[in-house]
Amino acid sequence: MTRRVIVAANWKMNGNLELVNSMNAGLESLVLSNNVDVVLCPSDPYLVPLSIVTKTENIHLGAQNVSEHLSGAFTGEVSTTMLQEMSVQYVIVGHSERRSFYKESSTEVARKVKAVLAANLTPILCIGESEAERSALKTETVLSAQLQPVIDEVGIEKFIDVVIAYEPVWAIGTGKTASPEMAQETHQFIRQFLTNENADVANKVPLLYGGSVNAANCEKLFAQTDIDGGLIGGASLKVDEFKVICSTAKGS
Ligand code: PEP
């Protein structure tokens, strides 16, 4: 099955104009395998200055969050229309930091996914279990409970336009990566969960792995059958390392 392969950079609230400029310059020489897309998700003020996306076909802009509302009295929020106007194509939704620090529930995440799809943008829907949940053998229950409200809100057919990022919370920013086998096993579970709803759609949804991915461990992770790229935090702030990760991803 040919699926799109995506390497997405989540800068979180990091970076500055200097990083933007070095990414713009550094990514000009990036060589990507066929069918691989790179998505840069900086903080909103740096979306437009990341002009590399206007020069390179397979490099795109992504936001880290969006409002579920289209406009109005929501101080501090950004709408899908505003992102669209700035040529953004992807939006990270439901990152574990949003779920934990800003108490975003899975039903709120589901409404955001709906808003993103309605604007013809691609949501990168993040799901993942905590360390305690994995130890208590609750990983599958937690992932199901994060996915089901989104399926209920938008319908499984719409998942054809959704990218899912599996990010075990215990692996984010900790240097602890899931082993390729553990990540594959969980990705297989996610694909099966979607298959139970619609096998054709499930086969086409890119499943990214995120959690301390770096230049040294990405090759084995990306080689797994159900891993279609990665969501990269810390390592996406280093131009050379990020380039290695991007060119390690193999499309078809
Ligand atoms: C992330 O924040 O999405 C992430 C995967 O971070 P890191 O790569 O730093 O673990």
Side-chain angles (χ1 to χ4, degrees), residues 178-233:
S179 68
E181 296 72 25
M182 186 195 275
Q184 165 58 24
E185 188 181 72
T186 312
H187 279 227
Q188 204 174 356
F189 165 76
I190 296 166
R191 186 131 10 241
Q192 186 55 49
F193 187 85
L194 299 174
T195 301
N196 295 343
E197 301 275 339
N198 183 320
D200 184 45
V201 170
N203 254 326
K204 293 181 177 138
V205 177
L207 299 184
L208 316 187
Y209 170 77
S212 298
V213 176
N214 58 38
N217 62 23
C218 63
E219 188 170 6
K220 286 199 174 127
L221 285 161
F222 293 169
Q224 303 302 309
T225 322
D226 286 291
I227 298 186
D228 310 306
L231 181 53
I232 322 295

Side-chain angles (χ1 to χ4, degrees), residues 10 12 95 97 167 171-174 210-213 231-235:
N10 176 15
K12 314 192 189 197
H95 190 278
E97 287 149 21
E167 299 207 300
I172 298 180
T174 58
S212 298
V213 176
L231 181 53
I232 322 295

Side-chain angles (χ1 to χ4, degrees), residues 32-86:
L32 290 173
S33 159
N34 276 344
N35 207 28
V36 175
D37 284 297
V38 169
V39 182
L40 303 175
C41 309
S43 296
D44 292 344
Y46 299 127
L47 285 165
V48 174
L50 267 172
S51 55
I52 182 70
V53 301
T54 61
K55 295 186 193 145
T56 315
E57 211 183 320
N58 292 329
I59 306 184
H60 313 280
L61 283 179
Q64 296 175 13
N65 182 36
V66 74
S67 169
E68 65 183 89
H69 305 287
L70 271 182
S71 66
F74 301 103
T75 302
E77 295 288 299
V78 167
S79 74
T80 51
T81 322
M82 294 168 186
L83 293 177
Q84 252 180 343
E85 278 195 324
M86 296 300 122

